[in-house]
Amino acid sequence: MRSLRRHLLLFVTLGTVTLLALGGVILFFSVRSSVREGFDEGLQGRAQALAAHLRLEVLPAYRHRMATLGAAVHGGERTGDEAARQALVALASEALRVRFQLDTDAYPEYSAPDGSASFQIWTSDGRELARSGSLAELSLPRLAEADAPVRFRDVTLPGGGAGRAIALDVAHVPFADEAWNEAWARIRGGTPIAASSAVVVVARDRRDVDDLMAALLAGLLFSGLVLAAGAGALAYLASGRALRPLTALRRQVESLHAEALHERIRLDNLPSELTPAVAALNDALDRLERSFTRERELASRLAHELRTPIAELRAITDVARRWPDDPQLQARAVDQGHEIAAHMTRVVSVLLRLARAESGEIPLESAHLQLRTALQASWLRLEALASSREHTLEVRIDDAVHVDADPEVLDAVLGNVLQNAAEHAPRGSVIEASVARDNGTIQLVVSNPLGTSEGDAPDPEGLGLPLVRALTRAAGIGFRIATRDGRFHASIDLPRAS
Amino acid sequence: MRLLLIEDSPRLRESLAEGLGRMGYAVDVVDEGPRGLSYARLNPYDVIILDLMLPGMDGITLLRTLRAQSCDTHVLILTAKDRVEDRVLGLRAGADDYLVKPFDFDELVARIQALVRRRYGQKNPLIELGCLTLDGTAGTVRRGEDTVALTPREYSLLEFLGLRRGEVVSRIEIEDAIYNERSLPSGNAVDSAVCRLRTKLEQFDDGPRIETRRGKGYVLVADSA
């Protein structure tokens, strides 16, 4: 079974865990990136500091020749002695040498035996220029596989620890003499000269960074777990509190039963999210109560309607059984039993028609019907009742009055209205049928004098008038009853035949 | 015993009148309120069986009118109205009993018998008349284990005289008690009926005797058992 609370709890907890994990990952990587960036900046600073100690010098054996070619190039700048310049560049690989001089006292970390910081410098053609004392006999990688002038990589330090290294390409190592620098820059132009470049590699122990990141990760995981557990607990408490109205609602709904259908679920103190559903439930209860009331009324009417014929049948059979040797009595009992069965069949038929009318199962047709004829035909079927009660029907309706109606429905409606009048009017009454209004809708009024007895009034528990109401409602025909001027009036609105 | 049945259902009216008549009751039947009221006023019935939903005048109005006119005849309401408030209304209007349709004929008869006994101050349904026992419940007369053969009218006459034993009962009272309006007796019918019953009773030495009080009527004399 689906549990709203479990669903809510799962959703909130998983959602919180997911958001926390996502936030933790973003935080972790951004901090790591920032820390590494700072670490790399430090490395780069160190590499640049080491590079600042690189100097280019001309070997003594080549100084004169270099000076001569330099003068030729200087003159060629104006005369275009390109040959002298190319000769000078070609001579550079032999005449120039990169030199590195460092005061190791100023950088004691490079001498530490634990190898936490080390460097190694090469010329571009692979000749090692210098190395830190911390390296001893070991070497750092030159990180030459990438093309960038500055390259970083995590490395294993010579001592076996985790480290990070930078490789800094120094393309133009400067001369110690500033005048040579300017001249040499003019001579070489944009051409890279291997003899005047170097690679500085610096490596540092990165355990502090790794420890920091591990601590950060552990902190994030721990706080994430705590927050997730807290979120779950909060979700549990909040869902319990939020669902409390549902518990109260359940108790109210449980208290509803067939004998208390008039009760409704209270809307006060309900969360706004539940109010529409509960209002709809109350509407459904309204419909259910009306349906139950109709069923009970129908059952009550049926019981009332059947009491008299059953009483007749029982009295007849009781008397016949008491004197079983009287053939005349037995024969009369059988005949009367048959009549009563026929009457009860009619009652059941009426009941079925009522049920069908209320469920809309009676298919409706429309036909032009002469109202006077329809009334007289219905009255004819009540002849026995009417003559026993000495009633007469006075129809004050012109032959020209025609209505559009379903013949079966109209016959049932008129039959029940007339029967009601015949049963309840005082003996010897004149029952009148007339048209009270004709404006596109014919208002037929059937009236009878009221008696002084309760028995003269329409039986409130009988089936006749409820049947007429149900039929007219199903057929869309207006029907009203009223008592005025000492008469009972039944008004039926029928569409005039077009 | 004479009954008035006011009931608008023809079949129920006829079957009850038939059954009660065969039980020895003199039954008058009426199908509407106003006629029922006039019958009840004009005749000394032992019990009136009254429907409530009647044309012309409803049963409650009829009953209240009767009581207002000091008519103390026992009234049994026989109706399809089964709600408690209807029963309360009927009993408060002056009815002595209330029976809801449909009903058992034997129950109706038993209730009528109870009302008749109440009318004559008789609690016991067995009336001891010397060596004879009249069983109002079974509608029989026995001597010891033997049943005495009586016609319904003879039984009715003996019951009426037995309930009023020791009292002088006039011919008119007998006539009212054992004949209904459809079987009004000829001039000496009562005397003939008494004579036939007297003859049957004379076969028992220690049975009840019907004595004639000239100019007054008859009296049933029975030794205590």
Side-chain angles (χ1 to χ4, degrees):
Chain A
M1 192 170 63
R2 286 186 62 193
S3 160
L4 206 57
R5 189 174 197 181
R6 197 165 51 215
H7 187 75
L8 200 61
L9 192 60
L10 199 65
F11 181 81
V12 170
T13 307
L14 283 180
T16 306
V17 167
T18 306
L19 287 176
L20 284 174
L22 194 63
V25 167
I26 291 171
L27 179 66
F28 177 79
F29 281 102
S30 65
V31 169
R32 194 178 80 157
S33 171
S34 176
V35 168
R36 284 200 167 196
E37 198 173 312
F39 189 85
D40 288 351
E41 279 177 5
L43 271 180
Q44 189 169 357
R46 286 168 184 271
Q48 284 171 341
L50 289 172
H53 292 277
L54 289 170
R55 287 294 180 270
L56 196 62
E57 64 181 12
V58 180
L59 292 175
Y62 295 92
R63 278 181 187 164
H64 177 71
R65 193 173 169 188
M66 287 288 282
T68 306
L69 286 171
V73 170
H74 182 70
E77 193 178 23
R78 287 169 288 174
T79 61
D81 191 352
E82 179 60 23
R85 192 187 72 83
Q86 288 181 358
L88 190 56
V89 168
L91 184 63
S93 59
E94 296 175 23
L96 298 181
R97 174 163 301 194
V98 175
R99 184 171 51 86
F100 178 76
Q101 281 191 324
L102 181 71
D103 180 4
T104 53
D105 293 340
Y107 299 94
E109 71 266 27
Y110 293 126
S111 304
D114 60 356
S116 59
S118 55
F119 70 85
Q120 198 166 359
I121 303 171
W122 293 270
T123 59
S124 296
D125 52 6
R127 184 170 55 88
E128 182 179 304
L129 285 177
R131 61 165 56 208
S132 62
S134 58
L135 276 177
E137 298 302 318
L138 301 171
S139 287
L140 292 172
R142 290 183 62 186
L143 313 182
E145 60 272 16
D147 203 21
V150 179
R151 303 176 291 282
F152 295 97
R153 192 195 302 166
D154 290 336
V155 297
T156 301
L157 294 175
R164 187 161 176 82
I166 179 175
L168 175 69
D169 289 345
V170 183
H172 304 290
V173 176
F175 286 95
D177 187 345
E178 194 60 32
W180 273 94
N181 277 331
E182 291 175 13
W184 179 238
R186 280 200 304 274
I187 291 164
R188 62 178 160 81
T191 306
I193 307 297
S196 64
S197 59
V199 177
V200 178
V201 175
V202 179
R204 274 190 69 199
D205 191 336
R206 58 177 169 86
R207 274 180 299 184
D208 289 347
V209 174
D210 287 351
D211 289 348
L212 176 66
M213 296 317 298
L216 176 64
L217 185 62
L220 284 173
L221 284 174
F222 178 74
S223 57
L225 286 174
V226 169
L227 285 173
L234 274 177
Y236 182 81
L237 293 173
S239 61
R241 191 176 180 81
L243 295 175
R244 206 174 292 161
L246 277 181
T247 308
L249 182 63
R250 191 199 70 214
R251 288 201 190 99
Q252 282 199 65
V253 173
E254 281 174 350
S255 72
L256 299 173
H257 51 86
E259 302 307 319
L261 282 177
H262 59 282
E263 291 180 5
R264 294 290 175 273
I265 299 167
R266 293 191 310 277
L267 293 174
D268 52 322
N269 298 328
L270 269 184
S272 59
E273 290 84 354
L274 287 179
T275 304
V278 173
L281 186 60
N282 279 339
D283 288 345
L285 283 173
D286 282 343
R287 293 194 293 276
L288 195 62
E289 185 187 12
R290 283 198 295 274
S291 174
F292 262 73
T293 303
R294 272 203 305 274
E295 292 295 321
R296 282 176 180 154
E297 284 174 354
L298 188 63
S300 171
R301 285 188 191 118
L302 178 64
H304 180 80
E305 200 75 17
L306 290 178
R307 267 184 206 284
T308 298
I310 290 173
E312 292 170 351
L313 191 60
R314 190 155 182 190
I316 289 164
T317 52
D318 280 356
V319 170
R321 288 172 65 196
R322 190 176 266 266
W323 290 279
D325 299 330
D326 185 334
Q328 281 188 330
L329 186 64
Q330 301 302 315
R332 198 160 61 238
V334 170
D335 288 345
Q336 290 181 329
H338 184 75
E339 286 174 17
I340 293 167
H343 173 71
M344 290 169 78
T345 303
R346 282 195 297 276
V347 171
V348 172
S349 170
V350 166
L351 192 69
L352 277 175
R353 180 175 285 276
L354 180 60
R356 284 176 184 159
E358 287 187 337
S359 64
E361 286 179 21
I362 295 182
L364 299 175
E365 298 171 3
S366 184
H368 293 330
L369 302 169
Q370 191 186 45
L371 191 53
R372 184 183 181 85
T373 306
L375 269 164
Q376 286 171 335
S378 298
W379 181 252
L380 199 59
R381 275 194 296 282
L382 300 169
E383 191 178 15
L385 174 65
S387 61
S388 74
R389 303 282 297 149
E390 301 169 14
H391 296 320
T392 53
L393 176 68
E394 190 174 308
V395 182
R396 299 178 189 160
I397 300 173
D398 194 84
D399 284 347
V401 176
H402 285 68
V403 294
D404 280 332
D406 182 289
E408 194 179 348
V409 170
L410 184 62
D411 183 55
V413 169
L414 295 179
N416 277 283
V417 167
L418 290 171
Q419 183 172 350
N420 184 67
E423 282 178 349
H424 301 295
R427 185 184 295 276
S429 294
V430 175
I431 297 165
E432 295 177 1
S434 59
V435 171
R437 195 179 63 231
D438 181 1
N439 55 357
T441 298
I442 304 278
Q443 188 184 55
L444 169 67
V445 177
V446 176
S447 72
N448 60 274
L450 285 171
T452 55
S453 161
E454 186 188 351
D456 294 337
D459 185 355
E461 296 177 55
L463 280 172
L465 289 183
L467 173 64
V468 172
R469 282 200 186 89
L471 286 172
T472 50
R473 194 166 51 236
I477 298 171
F479 175 70
R480 290 173 301 284
I481 56 173
T483 302
R484 61 176 178 275
D485 305 328
R487 294 182 75 85
F488 177 81
H489 298 261
S491 303
I492 306 158
D493 294 335
L494 297 160
R496 171 179 265 285
S498 52
Chain B
M1 301 295 111
R2 190 168 178 185
L3 311 177
L4 173 61
L5 173 61
I6 310 173
E7 167 63 59
D8 67 337
S9 160
R11 280 189 290 262
L12 190 56
R13 198 169 58 232
E14 287 168 17
S15 62
L16 290 182
E18 175 79 35
L20 293 170
R22 285 173 180 254
M23 294 289 293
Y25 292 102
V27 186
D28 289 338
V29 290
V30 175
D31 67 347
E32 60 178 21
R35 287 177 66 201
L37 182 61
S38 66
Y39 269 61
R41 276 177 184 155
L42 297 174
N43 299 294
Y45 293 106
D46 291 297
V47 176
I48 297 171
I49 303 162
L50 178 65
D51 188 12
L52 290 184
M53 299 287 283
L54 291 168
M57 176 186 286
D58 66 87
I60 295 294
T61 306
L62 189 155
L63 181 54
R64 284 186 176 138
T65 308
L66 277 181
R67 295 302 184 226
Q69 294 173 355
S70 303
C71 174
D72 61 355
T73 306
H74 287 114
V75 173
L76 186 156
I77 289 177
L78 190 63
T79 178
K81 293 188 170 185
D82 65 336
R83 293 179 305 179
V84 172
E85 51 265 44
D86 292 323
R87 297 175 197 221
V88 171
L89 178 69
L91 293 171
R92 284 184 174 164
D96 299 276
D97 202 353
Y98 197 104
L99 188 57
V100 176
K101 298 173 185 175
F103 54 90
D104 190 288
F105 181 72
D106 287 341
E107 185 182 356
L108 175 67
V109 171
R111 285 173 185 263
I112 291 170
Q113 287 168 342
L115 290 177
V116 168
R117 285 200 304 275
R118 202 191 302 173
R119 175 173 168 78
Y120 293 101
Q122 175 80 28
K123 295 277 185 189
N124 192 344
L126 301 177
I127 304 172
E128 301 294 342
L129 302 170
C131 66
L132 301 183
T133 302
L134 190 146
D135 185 346
T137 307
T140 58
V141 177
R142 283 182 286 108
R143 184 175 189 277
E145 295 300 315
D146 300 326
T147 301
V148 178
L150 296 177
T151 65
R153 181 152 293 153
E154 287 166 354
Y155 171 84
S156 191
L157 175 59
L158 180 60
E159 184 186 30
F160 180 65
L161 292 173
L163 287 169
R164 298 184 64 178
R165 61 187 176 279
E167 291 180 37
V168 177
V169 182
S170 70
R171 285 183 178 80
I172 292 174
E173 285 177 309
I174 294 172
E175 193 179 294
D176 285 341
I178 64 173
Y179 294 99
N180 62 22
E181 61 161 359
R182 290 178 297 185
S183 57
L184 282 175
S186 56
N188 60 352
V190 171
D191 294 332
S192 301
V194 171
C195 183
R196 283 195 298 276
L197 180 61
R198 181 185 280 154
T199 304
K200 287 191 178 179
L201 294 178
E202 281 174 354
Q203 62 183 303
F204 308 110
D205 293 338
D206 49 355
R209 300 182 308 279
I210 300 174
E211 297 176 358
T212 305
R213 296 286 186 269
R214 197 165 299 276
K216 292 183 180 174
Y218 300 97
V219 60
L220 184 85
V221 179
D223 298 329
S224 298

